[in-house]
Amino acid sequence: MVEINDQSITSSGMARMRMTAYVVLVGSLMIGTARASASEALEAARQAVVELDWRQVQRLYEPIRSAASVGDDVWLEATYCLALAQHHVQPPDAGTIGEAQALYQDVIRQAPRSRWAARAIMNLGRIEELRDYPTDAVDLDAARAFYERVVAEFPNDPIAGEATLRAAATLVMAYDAPHYTKVRAGIALLERRLKAHPDEPLASVMWQYAGDSYFRPLADHANALRCYEEVDRLGWGGRGNQGPWYWRCALLAERELNLPDIAAKYYTKIILETPNSGKAYEAMEALQRMGRPVPSSPMFDRLAPATREARP
């Protein structure tokens, strides 16, 4: 065995050791710089998505995807975002939409249970549902199949609610007179989801869509009002813009269903919550005609003075 001590380390050996240390140091610095550069590139690409700059998304994510290992998190993100870019870049054509579909399918094949896959399936449905370019064909049945797949494969994910709403819409949009079988099936789909998931994040939107569908084309006023009452209980989307629905509810209750208390409630809401809806003065007149209290409204007191405070 050779004993190594200070005397056995020659000057050339010392030089080699110093060179090795230098190479290791430079290599580690280069790796660190490369990692920092890759991280910066990824952040820049994500910012391009936020800004909806689809051409920039393509330029930034393509090298990121090429450098990533197929199927890893970075590759999935890059592939999905490139699909998103092809899906939305302007002007769209058969080529861009076809490439988007292929990239979405790549994501689904590599990670079928990932969050990326759930949204990729949803977006394949959107491609079938919407006309993206003049000669594009809409296929509502194909769209619904993708939406139902999302619900089946991700039943407890919030995206399942959105998929249910979109699946229902593909049925309601059929407007299949005279019996409206598909419209009724779409409403039933929503009501089943709401019964099973009463705390569904999109519950208010679902109830409103169901109410609109009962109202037209079915002219089922009782069920329309029932759904709108659920929306009012949960809170209306687009807060402040619900005046037209308040007016609809008031008219249905007063003129179609003989429910004066509910009618008065919505006339009052128009005056107090949406006085700029264009129906506030008419709502005040309606309350006076019904012999109900007219709430004070600074906008209309000179025209229709309040009688007394509205009942809670």
Side-chain angles (χ1 to χ4, degrees), residues 54-55 58 82-104 124 127 132-133 136:
W54 302 119
R55 297 291 184 187
Q58 291 172 323
L82 284 169
L84 206 61
Q86 293 287 61
H87 189 172
H88 294 95
V89 71
Q90 297 296 315
D93 56 37
T96 60
I97 296 302
E99 181 63 19
Q101 290 172 307
L103 289 166
Y104 285 139
L124 287 170
I127 288 173
D132 292 296
Y133 50 91
D136 192 15

Side-chain angles (χ1 to χ4, degrees), residues 22-305:
Y22 175 76
V23 170
V24 170
L25 176 61
V26 171
S28 64
L29 289 173
M30 290 178 67
I31 291 171
T33 302
R35 286 175 178 168
S37 178
S39 177
E40 290 171 1
L42 194 56
E43 286 304 313
R46 289 169 178 167
Q47 185 60 34
V49 174
V50 171
E51 295 172 0
L52 308 181
D53 187 345
W54 302 119
R55 297 291 184 187
Q56 183 73 340
V57 169
Q58 291 172 323
R59 284 191 292 269
L60 294 176
Y61 267 116
E62 282 171 355
I64 291 171
R65 183 175 187 253
S66 297
S69 298
V70 174
D72 71 11
D73 288 344
V74 172
W75 185 92
L76 289 170
E77 176 183 337
T79 304
Y80 176 82
C81 290
L82 284 169
L84 206 61
Q86 293 287 61
H87 189 172
H88 294 95
V89 71
Q90 297 296 315
D93 56 37
T96 60
I97 296 302
E99 181 63 19
Q101 290 172 307
L103 289 166
Y104 285 139
Q105 292 288 6
D106 283 348
V107 171
I108 297 164
R109 276 193 297 272
Q110 291 297 326
R113 297 299 177 188
S114 69
R115 63 191 180 96
W116 302 108
R119 184 55 64 177
I121 299 169
M122 179 77 83
N123 288 353
L124 287 170
R126 292 294 282 166
I127 288 173
E128 298 292 350
E129 180 183 351
L130 303 176
R131 179 171 285 108
D132 292 296
Y133 50 91
T135 59
D136 192 15
V138 171
D139 189 337
L140 295 180
D141 291 337
R144 185 166 60 258
F146 280 117
Y147 298 147
E148 290 174 344
R149 180 178 170 186
V150 173
V151 177
E153 296 183 12
F154 303 89
N156 299 315
D157 192 288
I159 200 173
E162 180 186 347
T164 300
L165 183 58
R166 295 194 183 282
T170 64
L171 290 163
V172 172
M173 283 190 291
Y175 265 51
D176 51 336
H179 301 297
Y180 297 111
T181 303
K182 287 188 175 181
V183 174
R184 295 177 191 280
I187 296 172
L189 187 62
L190 291 175
E191 296 228 43
R192 284 196 300 272
R193 176 76 185 182
L194 288 163
K195 183 177 181 180
H197 302 271
D199 298 324
E200 159 69 46
L202 292 175
S204 178
V205 177
M206 290 182 177
W207 281 118
Q208 188 169 349
Y209 192 74
D212 289 348
S213 303
Y214 274 125
F215 180 75
R216 185 181 295 114
L218 299 186
D220 185 341
H221 298 148
N223 273 317
L225 185 59
R226 173 178 63 85
C227 292
Y228 292 143
E229 285 274 75
E230 289 295 328
V231 182
D232 195 57
R233 178 180 64 83
L234 293 169
W236 295 81
R239 193 70 179 166
N241 296 317
Q242 68 270 29
W245 281 270
Y246 282 171
W247 183 250
R248 179 180 292 178
C249 290
L251 293 184
L252 288 177
E254 182 187 9
R255 300 181 184 180
E256 303 292 340
L257 302 172
N258 192 28
L259 297 170
D261 288 345
I262 293 178
K265 177 180 74 171
Y266 284 106
Y267 285 134
T268 300
K269 281 176 171 285
I270 290 169
I271 298 164
L272 296 178
E273 297 179 20
T274 60
N276 61 344
S277 63
K279 294 296 184 181
Y281 182 63
E282 291 176 78
M284 296 176 81
E285 286 191 320
L287 289 172
Q288 287 183 326
R289 182 184 67 249
M290 296 170 66
R292 298 300 180 102
V294 180
S296 177
S297 172
M299 294 178 64
F300 298 99
D301 267 353
R302 286 183 297 175
L303 299 175

